[in-house]
Amino acid sequence: MLLVDVDGVVSLFGFGATPPAGLVATAVDGIPHFLSPQAAACLNRLAVTFECAWCTGWEERAEEHLPRLLGLPGGWPHRAFPPAEGEPARHWKLGAIESWAGPDTPLAWIDDAFDASCEAWAAARAAPTLLVPTEPATGLAEEHVTVLESWARRL
């Protein structure tokens, strides 16, 4: 299983006043985004090996927009993130990920905003778990694909 965040992974930011060449400028629900065709190519490659799912605050909007805009395969499910109650010290996505994947599903998660609670959660899981951090100005890149494919082969 591969969980894919969007902002900082596919939709890039933090690169200064001028976006890098080659990004796809678009608006989703009136919010401007700079989408990375390089990240899309990486995801197309990873989709051969992994069962992919959107793990983003975009929720269903990722599937509504990104396959069409970037040529990604359609049909990826998305995680919904209800407000976390009573868990202020945990990352806001962890509860939904746990309830969806359970403790025994091997999974990799690509995100630009992991925190210490993510690291502790990944280390404590019974199933193999890989956190793949990205930089929001560059997003998902070939070196991440290499790490993910190597990890999947070892399973």
Side-chain angles (χ1 to χ4, degrees):
M1 175 66 51
L2 178 63
L3 303 178
V4 181
D5 184 28
V6 173
D7 293 319
V9 176
V10 178
S11 177
L12 307 185
F13 61 92
F15 39 72
T18 305
L23 296 182
V24 175
T26 192
V28 174
D29 294 339
I31 300 169
H33 292 276
F34 294 96
L35 304 178
S36 169
Q38 174 184 309
C42 291
L43 288 173
N44 277 319
R45 185 169 151 197
L46 290 166
V48 172
T49 303
F50 289 90
E51 177 186 337
C52 299
W54 298 113
C55 185
T56 172
W58 283 44
E59 295 186 350
E60 72 281 352
R61 291 182 306 282
E63 183 64 20
E64 290 170 7
H65 297 279
L66 297 178
R68 174 179 51 84
L69 292 168
L70 292 173
L72 293 169
W76 293 2
H78 69 276
R79 305 287 50 90
F81 299 102
E85 296 181 20
E87 300 181 37
R90 285 178 33 120
H91 190 282
W92 63 278
K93 293 180 182 178
L94 285 177
I97 292 170
E98 285 175 335
S99 67
W100 176 70
D104 300 321
T105 302
L107 68 85
W109 176 13
I110 306 167
D111 206 304
D112 69 313
F114 293 121
D115 62 17
S117 69
C118 298
E119 297 288 341
W121 171 82
R125 283 191 84 232
T129 305
L130 177 66
L131 302 182
V132 180
T134 62
E135 292 298 322
T138 54
L140 184 63
E142 201 58 39
E143 60 265 22
H144 301 115
V145 174
T146 301
V147 167
L148 284 156
E149 288 177 334
S150 175
W151 180 78
R153 278 192 299 275
R154 287 192 307 272
L155 295 181

